[in-house]
Amino acid sequence: MRTTRRIGALWTLAAAALASLATVLALPAGSGAVTQAAPANNAEPRISGSATVGSTLSATQGTWTGSPTGYAYQWVRCGRDGGLPSGADCATIGGATTTKYIVSNADVDHRLRVRVTASNSDGSKTVASNATALVRAADAGKP
């Protein structure tokens, strides 16, 4: 009877040791309690180009910490005041999801911003650029 108990206890210990080993082997290298932080913005995106109908505006992604693995862009049309610094109260411009945007007639008398979302495996963060100057028609100021 004692021998049976010992063998049973040994099997229980061996099974626990194997389960622990399997858990360790299943973890990716360098994993554990250490996680990467979600992206955080150090410098906001910037827009370059003329806020004139027909001109092409270009956006930078800004600078980020947290090792972003991807960026998404969304151009927004804001009121004459430029809207909130986040661009949250501005209207999204359909299909304007790249680093470049061609200013259209619909933008006249508005200001534009680009909202950039940086993401990694731990999350994402969205920030907006400063607003452009008030958009004007291509022939504005010409005699």
Side-chain angles (χ1 to χ4, degrees):
M1 184 94 152
R2 267 189 199 171
T3 306
T4 306
R5 280 191 200 162
R6 276 191 194 157
I7 292 174
L10 288 174
W11 277 110
T12 301
L13 287 173
L18 286 175
S20 295
L21 179 61
T23 300
V24 169
L25 292 176
L27 291 173
S31 70
V34 177
T35 60
Q36 176 178 319
N41 185 254
N42 286 341
E44 67 187 17
R46 298 217 176 266
I47 297 174
S48 60
S50 175
T52 306
V53 173
S55 295
T56 300
L57 299 177
S58 296
T60 67
Q61 64 195 22
T63 58
W64 300 81
T65 60
S67 302
T69 55
Y71 297 94
Y73 299 86
Q74 179 62 66
W75 290 85
V76 294
R77 185 178 298 121
C78 306
R80 294 177 63 88
D81 64 354
L84 294 173
S86 67
D89 63 338
C90 302
T92 59
I93 301 171
T97 56
T98 65
T99 59
K100 302 214 182 283
Y101 175 70
I102 299 173
V103 182
S104 74
N105 285 321
D107 301 322
V108 173
D109 290 332
H110 292 87
R111 295 178 189 266
L112 302 171
R113 292 182 186 267
V114 64
R115 299 184 78 214
V116 177
T117 302
S119 58
N120 65 21
S121 60
D122 288 316
S124 63
K125 172 84 174 173
T126 301
V127 297
S129 67
N130 283 333
T132 62
L134 203 60
V135 175
R136 60 185 199 275
D139 60 0
K142 293 181 182 177

